[in-house]
Amino acid sequence: MATASSFAQHYIECENCEENPAKFLCKTCPGHLCVSCKSEHERRKITQNHDIIHLASEKGDMMELLYCSEHRTKKLECYCSPCQKPVCTRCIIETHNGHKVETLATVYNRIKKEQQIEKEEIEKTLLPKYEELLAKEKLMKAEISKRTDEVQKQIEDHTEKVIERYTAMKEKKIRDLRQAEQTTLKSVEDSEMKVQRRIELLKKIKTQITNNLGARPGIIFFNATHGNSLKEMRQYPNSIEYKLDNFSSGDIERITLDVDFWKILKFTMVDSSASRNPDWSLEEDEEEAEEYLYEEF
């Protein structure tokens, strides 16, 4: 499983001097070479005819250097479509005989195209939408507090009329109101955290895809598809509005010490869209995060 550091392009060291960063790849050896070692490689009689390419070459040109994970001396030759893995000629004979195969270049280009589309979707659709949702959640917190203050003022104005008899009751109701506020704010904060987590997750996926598209391809690249990875992200959570009714004073003349003239105050949820995803939860996002993160090639 990929770690946070695996999203960055790794430093490739020269395999000859083991000091300088590699800029070239000898396809004949094979091995990575820095600028000076590449020059030495070309001067030496035994290696002067080796095929050396720049690491910035088209990634598809380097696929011929990929070796089978099961038969380490065999180069990967093609991609088994039913098993969804690159295979060598020995794999085809032993365990993939009769399976439909494609060229590595064909599959590489297909996956590359899919990831480019996913990256564009993240940049142009998913991230902007989640950032918009996050802004609404932050605004909702301020509106809840503002509305709570308005209702508190209503309570205080009414309480002045019966201050001597109901001071204690007033304080209790304010505490209840503030408790309702805190509970509701906690709900909004949880929703805010979910949106923020998805934004961070989308950014990680975007970074991963960007690194994959720019890095030297490896076997894991062919497993690095996002066909289902962004499915959950495309179902946006809807913003919830919280409604707090005005304070109702009741008939003061008919109030006795045994009757509570205040109704229970609490926030009610008003769903702004009927298409809210009922299964969206922060816990599921955390579990799915592991599925989005994979080893770079």
Side-chain angles (χ1 to χ4, degrees), residues 46 149 193:
I46 195 172
D149 291 340
M193 184 182 300

Side-chain angles (χ1 to χ4, degrees), residues 159-213:
T159 302
E160 290 298 326
K161 299 176 183 179
V162 289
I163 191 67
E164 293 182 357
R165 294 180 64 187
Y166 294 102
T167 298
M169 186 182 296
K170 179 200 72 170
E171 296 300 330
K172 178 180 182 301
K173 292 304 176 180
I174 291 178
R175 288 196 301 272
D176 293 343
L177 175 64
R178 287 303 180 177
Q179 181 60 47
E181 176 193 13
Q182 291 304 314
T183 300
T184 307
L185 286 175
K186 178 61 169 58
S187 176
V188 176
E189 288 170 354
D190 289 344
S191 180
E192 178 185 358
M193 184 182 300
K194 295 171 186 177
V195 174
Q196 183 66 54
R197 184 65 58 83
R198 286 202 171 187
I199 288 176
E200 293 172 358
L201 187 57
L202 282 168
K203 289 180 178 179
K204 287 182 180 179
I205 297 173
K206 175 189 171 184
T207 300
Q208 178 98 49
I209 293 175
T210 300
N211 290 336
N212 285 350
L213 295 175

Side-chain angles (χ1 to χ4, degrees), residues 60-80 84-92 96 101-105 217-223 297:
D61 295 340
M62 298 185 184
M63 286 189 290
E64 63 184 79
L65 301 176
L66 301 179
Y67 285 82
C68 180
S69 60
E70 296 183 14
H71 311 105
R72 299 189 180 278
T73 61
K74 293 287 187 178
K75 290 185 178 181
L76 293 174
E77 300 292 344
C78 52
Y79 184 85
C80 179
Q84 296 185 343
K85 63 180 294 185
V87 293
C88 67
T89 53
R90 186 173 171 183
C91 286
I92 295 176
H96 299 268
V101 297
E102 301 176 84
T103 65
L104 290 180
I219 296 175
I220 196 67
F221 178 90
F222 298 93
N223 297 324
F297 50 88

Side-chain angles (χ1 to χ4, degrees), residues 43-61:
R43 286 196 302 269
R44 296 176 60 188
K45 185 176 181 180
I46 195 172
T47 58
Q48 63 183 359
N49 294 323
H50 283 196
D51 186 7
I52 300 176
I53 62 173
H54 198 284
L55 287 180
S57 300
E58 176 63 34
K59 305 302 183 301
D61 295 340

Side-chain angles (χ1 to χ4, degrees), residues 1-7 10 201 204-205 208 220 223-226 229 285-297:
M1 191 59 60
T3 61
S5 62
S6 67
F7 291 104
H10 289 304
L201 187 57
K204 287 182 180 179
I205 297 173
Q208 178 98 49
I220 196 67
N223 297 324
T225 58
H226 289 81
S229 296
D285 276 350
E286 292 172 341
E287 294 174 359
E288 291 166 3
E290 293 300 318
E291 300 177 5
Y292 297 135
L293 310 181
Y294 49 83
E295 295 290 346
E296 68 178 20
F297 50 88

